[in-house]
Amino acid sequence: MQASPHCHANVSQPSSEESTSGGEWEADIISTVEFNHTGELLATGDKGGRVVIFQREPESKNDPYNQGEYNVYSTFQSHEPEFDYLKSLEIEEKINKIKWLPQQNAAHALLSTNDKTIKLWKITERDKKPEGYNLKDEEGKLKDLCTVTSLQVPVLKPTDLMVEVTPRKIFANGHTYHVNSISVNSDCETYMSADDLRINLWHLAITDRSFNIVDIKPANMEDLTEVITASEFHPHHCNLFVYSSSKGSLRLCDMRASALCDKHFKLFEEPEDPSSRSFFSEIISSVSDVKFSHSGRYMLARDYLTVKVWDLNMETRPVEIYQVHDYLRSKLCSLYENDCIFDKFECAWNGSDSVIMTGAYNNFFRMFDRNTKRDVTLEASRESSKPRAVLKPRRVCVGGKRRKDDISVDSLDFTKKILHTAWHPTENIIAIAATNNLYIFQDKMNSEMH
């Protein structure tokens, strides 16, 4: 997808009616979005602990340009609210992250996590059911053995398609602090989970123990200067992973070097400009998300005002810096007062690593084309997302002359924020979570050209 306005709404899928009460609406707020490895399935998690899986419909033969919409495939309750009696602490059911496992057979599998507990779910389809049991009747009740006079062979008969979701593993008690990210390794056998101070390595088949591979907790908590904000495995090398910190640094670690990877082997950190230092410098430099490119050559890091592209072969400075909403620099004081300055925006690569996407306020999201250096601001809203409607570029102006469709920086709605986005692994289809609504857009122009 080029950073251009040729972006069409494919489907707008609200997860709740707007008339629901405040508590229910809060539970429907989407907290994570993730395509599977083929892009045929899309999973969302919400604050109410639910996971909704959307499946892409097959392409229409009558309309070759209709790429197939995403419709609800399965919905299940992944996490329930809990209470830690030892610490007198409520544990929210909110889904922090979802990660799909590479598909090994006909079934699909995904990991979902709240603040403390990671669960492995298996998703299977069933379109046949056995009939003709010897010891059970049609309702499944046991027969009176006196009435069984002959044996019969049960047969499989076609039935309506059923999607079954079953919990296969529960990985609990691995974290003292809140889990902020999980990442499946390219070896397809292990995954890691990170909280504020530690990163653990798990085997997918073993639930009762994990290996601590990073621990930045100081002996005296008063000496704590930074926390871990996100982590991810390298897409091709199963020994490499990166984690980001609240101080704006990325640390690349190699698990071959030692069992405990407290000593990174590469540190990606931009030197601070003393002349531009302010009270907010450390807050806005905190990295909220880090993603390896599909090629594995680059890393994408999002902080409050920018997205930066780092080359794994160059630690001194990022190779590209893109301003997401630089017009907010003069508003940091009010953003600090309303806590928006602590919002954690995610970022995403397109399938060819040529375009970057990340969210902003007022339901805006930004795209940056790395080849042409063009960028565009688009809006996810019900008005602009009628099926097959064309998204118009939006522009925020800071004082001075305003064009007809420009929006003033003073009239931005900071309660509407695009924190969670995902990009289809191979096609120009994007998923945007805007509070309790999921928007799916696709680039029709590119689809037709290809």
Side-chain angles (χ1 to χ4, degrees):
M1 183 178 288
Q2 295 177 329
S4 65
H6 305 310
C7 193
H8 291 236
N10 179 279
V11 62
S12 168
Q13 184 68 48
S15 58
S16 73
E17 294 300 318
E18 291 201 340
S19 58
T20 52
S21 64
E24 290 174 26
W25 185 87
E26 184 83 13
D28 286 335
I29 293 175
I30 298 170
S31 51
T32 185
V33 188
E34 191 81 12
F35 280 101
N36 76 338
H37 292 73
T38 63
E40 293 304 300
L41 297 176
L42 170 68
T44 65
D46 64 24
K47 282 196 170 184
R50 289 181 301 271
V51 172
V52 181
I53 301 174
F54 298 87
Q55 184 184 44
R56 193 178 184 189
E57 296 299 316
E59 287 185 27
S60 167
K61 289 179 181 174
N62 302 328
D63 182 2
Y65 297 130
N66 180 10
Q67 295 284 23
E69 296 188 346
Y70 284 82
N71 293 317
V72 175
Y73 178 64
S74 178
T75 304
F76 62 96
Q77 189 71 31
S78 174
H79 287 70
E80 302 280 357
E82 299 172 51
F83 191 79
D84 186 334
Y85 291 97
L86 289 174
K87 296 178 181 173
S88 297
L89 198 68
E90 283 186 45
I91 302 169
E92 285 185 11
E93 65 272 38
K94 174 192 162 196
I95 309 295
N96 291 346
K97 283 285 182 287
I98 289 172
K99 290 292 174 190
W100 291 90
L101 272 60
Q103 195 174 355
Q104 309 282 353
N105 48 41
H108 297 276
L110 62 79
L111 291 165
S112 63
T113 184
N114 66 350
D115 284 341
K116 300 288 180 187
T117 306
I118 305 153
K119 296 184 180 182
L120 173 62
W121 297 90
K122 184 181 178 184
I123 301 107
T124 52
E125 289 184 356
R126 197 176 67 179
D127 58 0
K128 293 182 177 66
K129 69 174 183 179
E131 285 186 5
Y133 286 109
N134 289 290
L135 302 179
K136 292 179 181 177
D137 60 21
E138 290 178 4
E139 294 176 358
K141 294 177 183 174
L142 281 173
K143 294 178 183 175
D144 184 352
L145 294 180
C146 300
T147 64
V148 180
T149 56
S150 62
L151 293 177
Q152 56 184 338
V153 178
V155 293
L156 288 171
K157 291 200 172 175
T159 182
D160 291 339
L161 179 69
M162 288 178 61
V163 180
E164 294 183 338
V165 181
T166 49
R168 298 307 301 269
K169 298 272 191 301
I170 297 176
F171 305 88
N173 307 317
H175 288 275
T176 308
Y177 307 96
H178 293 176
V179 177
N180 56 44
S181 52
I182 48 178
S183 178
V184 181
N185 201 345
S186 58
D187 63 11
C188 300
E189 290 185 357
T190 56
Y191 76 92
M192 68 177 174
S193 56
D195 64 26
D196 289 349
L197 299 179
R198 296 189 180 102
I199 300 176
N200 292 337
L201 180 69
W202 302 82
H203 194 285
L204 285 161
I206 302 167
T207 58
D208 60 352
R209 66 182 179 275
S210 61
F211 295 95
N212 180 228
I213 53 174
V214 172
D215 187 348
I216 64 167
K217 184 180 179 183
N220 183 357
M221 283 295 275
E222 289 179 5
D223 298 332
L224 184 69
T225 58
E226 64 182 331
V227 294
I228 298 166
T229 55
S231 64
E232 189 177 61
F233 269 119
H234 191 280
H236 311 304
H237 303 300
C238 60
N239 53 292
L240 296 179
F241 67 93
V242 66
Y243 70 90
S244 57
S245 85
S246 57
K247 273 195 166 177
S249 59
L250 306 178
R251 290 176 173 86
L252 191 66
C253 301
D254 189 340
M255 291 193 292
R256 295 173 301 186
S258 64
L260 195 63
C261 300
D262 285 356
K263 289 186 173 64
H264 51 270
F265 88 97
K266 282 193 177 184
L267 174 66
F268 301 84
E269 197 171 45
E270 202 175 12
E272 190 181 31
D273 180 3
S275 64
S276 63
R277 178 158 181 82
S278 72
F279 170 77
F280 305 109
S281 294
E282 198 163 306
I283 302 172
I284 63 172
S285 66
S286 175
V287 176
S288 55
D289 193 21
V290 61
K291 295 268 171 54
F292 277 107
S293 63
H294 295 83
S295 67
R297 170 74 186 270
Y298 300 100
M299 294 180 297
L300 182 63
R302 170 73 206 258
D303 58 36
Y304 190 66
L305 294 177
T306 67
V307 274
K308 294 172 181 166
V309 177
W310 293 85
D311 188 325
L312 260 64
N313 300 325
M314 189 170 85
E315 298 170 67
T316 50
R317 65 180 185 276
V319 288
E320 296 158 35
I321 299 176
Y322 300 98
Q323 300 294 335
V324 179
H325 37 209
D326 200 45
Y327 46 78
L328 295 183
R329 209 172 281 276
S330 61
K331 303 226 166 272
L332 293 177
C333 195
S334 56
L335 289 163
Y336 178 78
E337 288 170 359
N338 64 16
D339 280 348
C340 282
I341 201 168
F342 301 107
D343 285 334
K344 293 175 170 55
F345 292 95
E346 294 173 9
C347 52
W349 298 90
N350 73 336
S352 61
D353 299 333
S354 61
V355 185
I356 292 160
M357 172 174 64
T358 192
Y361 293 107
N362 211 71
N363 275 2
F364 289 165
F365 58 98
R366 303 269 284 137
M367 287 187 176
F368 304 93
D369 191 312
R370 298 178 61 208
N371 299 324
T372 64
K373 302 302 176 191
R374 289 169 64 196
D375 65 88
V376 69
T377 301
L378 300 169
E379 183 181 5
S381 69
R382 294 199 175 194
E383 293 74 37
S384 64
S385 61
K386 303 285 189 294
R388 276 162 278 288
V390 179
L391 284 183
K392 291 178 183 167
R394 302 302 306 268
R395 215 173 73 99
V396 179
C397 70
V398 187
K401 290 183 179 178
R402 280 178 62 182
R403 283 188 254 169
K404 183 186 166 192
D405 294 327
D406 285 2
I407 182 166
S408 164
V409 68
D410 296 316
S411 57
L412 292 173
D413 188 343
F414 292 105
T415 62
K416 293 179 178 177
K417 52 191 89 170
I418 306 290
L419 300 177
H420 314 288
T421 61
W423 206 309
H424 189 288
T426 55
E427 295 182 39
N428 287 327
I429 299 173
I430 55 174
I432 306 288
T435 53
N436 65 328
N437 292 321
L438 175 69
Y439 297 95
I440 299 172
F441 302 107
Q442 78 181 92
D443 190 341
K444 283 287 192 181
M445 300 292 274
N446 273 11
S447 303
E448 289 168 20
M449 285 191 292
H450 291 87

